[in-house]
């Protein structure tokens, strides 16, 4: 199977580190096909960044409609439901995947993320995903996302110290890493912390493999049905959903809803 790992920010160095983490856990028959957003913000650290990152995400999906599953590798899960609308393949967001993984192996978790404003966005995701009873706290490190691009000892120590505070102050049973850029830190943190450390990129890959293996596709009924065909005006015209849903010969799953 081929999983499209999409970094919705435009920083290629981050894509490389998350792809390495993904390939380290992928099953032998799984191809991790990673891609960096061709347009949009270099890091996603707020609502405005998220709104514009969705264009790069959708472009990446449209450029590759035949992937078996898609992983959106940003902890804000930007555009997750929009992405699920345009394909029948499973689409995983790393925040949702990580929080669910945490509840399978612990009764509580804390999230350690980047900036304080990102903390507030992650708290909203916790509520949105119904994780309030399991999530003890979302903690910020005040590190900008791009500080994780090639983390040095100081960055590693800041994240480790926040994880340690989570254990003593929140008494959580697991740590969820709140940024895709932290995927390469898992081994460093696991060696130093007595609880499971969950990186959303790797668990999203494993969930994607499980869903494809179980022959489960994204529902095309109700709000995840393909978008309603209509014109989009002005600069957004290229993103207008088309009226027809071409299926590839011999495939049940229709391709991603193309532009007209
Ligand atoms: C992120 C992330 O994972 N990638 C990015 O650009 N921004 N989210 C975050 N919480 O810092």
């Amino acid at each position: 199977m081929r999983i499209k790992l999409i970094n919705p920010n435009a920083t290629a160095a981050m894509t490389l580190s998350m792809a390495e983490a993904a390939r380290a856990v992928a099953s032998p028959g799984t191809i991790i096909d990673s891609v960096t957003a061709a347009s949009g913000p270099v890091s996603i650290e707020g609502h405005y960044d998220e709104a514009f990152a969705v264009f790069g995400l959708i472009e990446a999906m449209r450029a590759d409609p035949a992937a078996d599953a898609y992983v959106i590798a940003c902890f804000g899960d930007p555009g997750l439901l929009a992405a699920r609308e345009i394909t029948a393949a499973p689409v995983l967001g790393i925040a949702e995947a990580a929080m669910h993984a945490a509840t399978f192996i612990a009764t509580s978790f804390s999230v350690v993320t980047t900036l304080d404003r990102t903390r507030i966005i992650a708290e909203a995701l916790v509520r949105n995903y119904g994780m309030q009873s399991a999530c003890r706290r979302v903690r910020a490190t005040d590190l900008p996302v791009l500080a994780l691009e090639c983390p040095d000892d100081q960055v590693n120590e800041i994240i480790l110290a926040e994880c340690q505070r989570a254990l003593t102050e929140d008494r959580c049973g697991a740590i969820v890493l709140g940024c895709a850029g932290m995927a390469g830190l898992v081994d460093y943190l696991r060696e130093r912390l007595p609880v499971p450390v969950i990186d959303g990129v790797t668990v999203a890959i494993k969930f994607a493999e499980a869903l494809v293996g179980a022959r489960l596709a994204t529902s095309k009924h109700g709000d995840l049905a393909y978008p309603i065909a209509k014109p989009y005006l002005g600069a957004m015209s290229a993103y207008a959903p088309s009226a027809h849903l071409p299926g590839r010969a011999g495939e049940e799953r229709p391709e991603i809803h193309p532009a007209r």
Side-chain angles (χ1 to χ4, degrees):
M1 89 179 60
R2 189 168 59 83
I3 300 175
K4 194 85 187 179
L5 174 65
I6 303 171
N7 175 12
N9 81 35
T11 299
M14 266 184 73
T15 316
L16 285 179
S17 73
M18 60 181 82
E20 194 181 322
R23 290 190 182 108
V25 298
S27 297
T30 300
I31 296 163
I32 304 295
D33 196 355
S34 63
V35 63
T36 311
S39 57
V42 294
S43 63
I44 302 165
E45 301 179 311
H47 302 293
Y48 191 82
D49 290 343
E50 280 196 5
F52 286 93
V54 175
F55 296 98
L57 164 72
I58 299 297
E59 280 165 3
M61 291 180 69
R62 278 183 169 170
D64 186 4
D68 293 298
Y70 299 84
V71 170
I72 303 173
C74 170
F75 201 79
D77 290 351
L80 177 58
L81 292 178
R84 285 180 178 151
E85 275 189 43
I86 62 166
T87 180
V91 183
L92 281 293
I94 65 166
E96 190 180 37
M99 290 185 210
H100 281 281
T103 65
F104 298 153
I105 56 173
T107 51
S108 64
F109 64 88
S110 285
V111 178
V112 173
T113 189
T114 51
L115 299 180
D116 196 55
R117 63 188 300 161
T118 314
R119 173 186 63 76
I120 298 165
I121 295 173
E123 285 172 350
L125 286 183
V126 167
R127 291 192 294 276
N128 207 14
Y129 296 149
M131 289 284 166
Q132 299 99 315
S133 62
C135 182
R136 290 268 160 89
R137 189 164 160 183
V138 182
R139 292 173 162 270
T141 52
D142 283 330
L143 289 166
V145 168
L146 293 186
L148 302 165
E149 203 185 325
C150 5
D152 55 20
D153 287 351
Q154 202 192 345
V155 166
N156 294 353
E157 281 160 22
I158 289 169
I159 295 167
L160 175 62
E162 200 57 43
C163 293
Q164 283 163 336
R165 276 192 285 278
L167 295 189
T168 53
E169 293 173 19
D170 312 344
R171 300 174 63 80
C172 56
I175 299 283
V176 166
L177 299 178
C179 181
M182 296 178 183
L185 282 181
V186 171
D187 290 342
Y188 167 86
L189 294 170
R190 282 187 184 158
E191 281 163 20
R192 290 162 178 80
L193 295 166
V195 298
V197 177
I198 298 153
D199 153 54
V201 175
T202 50
V203 291
I205 294 293
K206 299 312 286 183
F207 286 154
E209 285 181 342
L211 291 169
V212 173
R215 298 178 192 278
L216 287 169
T218 297
S219 173
K220 289 293 115 196
H221 294 270
D223 63 330
L224 294 184
Y226 290 103
I228 297 165
K230 69 188 72 165
Y232 284 12
L233 302 185
M236 301 296 113
S237 59
Y239 296 90
S242 76
H244 65 291
L245 301 173
R248 291 203 317 174
E251 267 198 5
E252 274 178 37
R253 181 164 66 75
E255 291 187 11
I256 287 191
H257 218 296
R260 270 177 208 280

